[in-house]
Amino acid sequence: MNLKRIFGAILTLLGIASLIYAAQVFLTATESTRDIKTLAIYGVLGLIFFVSGISLVKTTKDES
């Protein structure tokens, strides 16, 4: 059981969920209720989690 790969997969899933939520906030916001701070926080954190998770899964060697 490789813990780095599991942690990378969890980070990737959190990143995807965060990016989906940021897209949902962007699409449902109207001109008067646009919350730029929430959109930026979820978007940036989602991107960081997604990229770090993918790179962690990609660089971890599979030892059997």
Side-chain angles (χ1 to χ4, degrees), residues 38-51:
T38 303
L39 182 64
I41 288 171
Y42 281 105
V44 170
L45 282 178
L47 191 63
I48 289 171
F49 283 179
F50 182 73
V51 170

Side-chain angles (χ1 to χ4, degrees), residues 11-49:
L11 281 176
T12 304
L13 291 175
L14 282 173
I16 289 170
S18 216
L19 288 172
I20 288 172
Y21 182 70
Q24 188 264 336
V25 166
F26 179 74
L27 290 176
T28 60
T30 61
E31 191 66 34
S32 62
T33 63
R34 180 162 290 180
D35 197 5
I36 300 296
K37 188 185 289 187
T38 303
L39 182 64
I41 288 171
Y42 281 105
V44 170
L45 282 178
L47 191 63
I48 289 171
F49 283 179

